[in-house]
Amino acid sequence: LFTFLKFMESMNGVNGPQNGQPHLDHADGQYFLTEAYKVILEEVLCKGTDVKEKVCDWHDPEELSALLDLELREGGESHHQLLQRVRDVAKYSVKTNHPRFFNQLFAGVDYHSLAGRFLTEALNTSQYTYEVAPVFVLMENVMLTKLRSMVGWPQGDGIFCPGGSVSNMYAMNVARYRAYPQVKVQGLWAVPRLAAFTSQESHYSLCKAASFLGIGLDNVFMVKVNERGCMIPEDLDEKIELARSQGAVPFLVSATSGTTIQGAFDPLDRIADICDKNKLWMHVDAAWGGSVLFSKKHKHLMKGIERADSLAWNPHKMLLAGLQCCVFLLKDNTDLLKQCHCANATYLFQQDKFYDMRMDTGDKSVQCGRKVDCLKLWLMWKAVGTEGLAERVDKVFKLARYLVREMSKREGFQLVNEPQFVNVCFWYIPPSLRGKEGNNDYQEKLSKVAPVIKERMMRKGSMMVGYQPLREKVNFFRMVIISPHISQEDMDFFLDEIERLGKDLYNAL
């Protein structure tokens, strides 16, 4: 990158374009891009990964709007002004690559993947036909084949999707199409009342999919979970019978490998037995947990995955492929995905092309234009290999176990449950609440601890971690360990900072 920047400087001159000139010339644009890359490198990739810098420079909305000057005007701005805009955007954005960012199911940066993302943006193509994206059609096919082989499917189908939520929607749509193919032409009038099943702790996208596809929220049956958040197969059996007794026709079970909050893994083999018995489509939402398949030590968490019909998996999470990188995989090799979604647009998918029409994969998607999401994963995988990706998975498991051990040595940290994955869920009990568990207002006061500590850390900019309630459980922290760039020292800092921010909580409760 530094070599490129120096080269661009030599091509464009040190002074750059004149302020206020139109920004249509290639030389001017390339000079601006060179300077913008310098800002990105400094603010996002240097400061943004420096443990001594803030995770976020917090400002309330009104103040932030004024700092950014978001108004759009009739005339354009100079390069100098635009570079300041770039700097401001970087400065005031949350640094998700920071070692102390634990807030979401993505974190950290892989520089090979980032190079792939830069190249994807520069090439600016759409992944629907071989004629406009020949490299990426071939690359996507290789990636999908490799990922399916890790699931245990020697054959099958799949596509890169804009998010795990869309992958889950695809699963529901394809499962319905397999059961009632006439729905594509005749609509909902042609199908009976359908019933889908998922756990109480599954991702909310299953409900959104049911609403979006016209199946209806009332027809998504929530299966009970055990204390760790894993689906209870016996209750799944009961819910299927309940749906039938109400006149509904079961068609889909969506299990989860790595639930959003607790990181729970449903028992796939037992769920597969029930799906086989009832002839139901078995989907697995492994958007979060799918990457355990790289680890020889931890892939047992997804034992039975090869028995599923479809799978959602987001490499942009634990593998650091960068947002967004999500796949929908199927065991089916009868072209069911394309049959379900195709519209046969003749201006794109002409049947008399001079190359193999099977290379035009765009009709598998509900989208027309589709962003290239395979390059970043492919380049990263090329760089570190399968073994390198497995090491990333194993490392974050080790860090999660280290954090749990260190918590047990400190007063005031109470686990919600022993973690199955790298989600460490816990309450912090400040000194003012210790020993008062029997008080009538204890739960109410405990529920206020996490929000107050979260506000303090955000305003300070020291770190970010999420919190939430869960059914009858009041607010607790969800610490998520993803990035292989973090260390035991970061885990120690996390515990110290929670204590620092929460030790004086009294009046706020």
Side-chain angles (χ1 to χ4, degrees), residues 171-172 175-176 179-180 191-198 206 210 214-223 236 238-254 275 278-282:
M172 189 171 287
R176 180 176 65 179
Y180 297 96
V191 299
R193 176 189 170 194
L194 298 177
F197 306 85
T198 193
L206 272 301
I215 290 167
L217 296 178
D218 287 347
N219 297 313
V220 180
F221 288 76
M222 295 296 177
V223 182
L236 173 60
E238 292 179 11
K239 289 296 192 301
I240 291 171
E241 291 308 311
L242 175 63
R244 285 182 173 138
S245 73
Q246 295 177 356
V249 179
F251 80 109
L252 167 76
V253 174
S254 181
C275 289
N278 292 279
K279 295 181 173 56
L280 305 180
W281 184 283
M282 178 180 171

Side-chain angles (χ1 to χ4, degrees), residues 18-70:
Q18 297 298 311
N19 288 347
Q21 295 299 311
H23 305 300
L24 300 177
D25 183 81
H26 280 300
D28 284 1
Q30 289 166 12
Y31 176 83
F32 172 74
L33 184 60
T34 303
E35 296 300 305
Y37 267 130
K38 291 180 182 179
V39 175
I40 294 169
L41 187 64
E42 176 188 356
E43 294 289 338
V44 179
L45 300 176
C46 292
K47 290 183 180 178
T49 58
D50 187 346
V51 73
K52 296 186 292 294
E53 297 285 342
K54 289 184 176 182
V55 177
C56 65
D57 187 352
W58 178 263
H59 296 272
D60 290 322
E62 296 80 6
E63 183 184 4
L64 183 58
S65 293
L67 287 168
L68 293 174
D69 186 16
L70 296 171

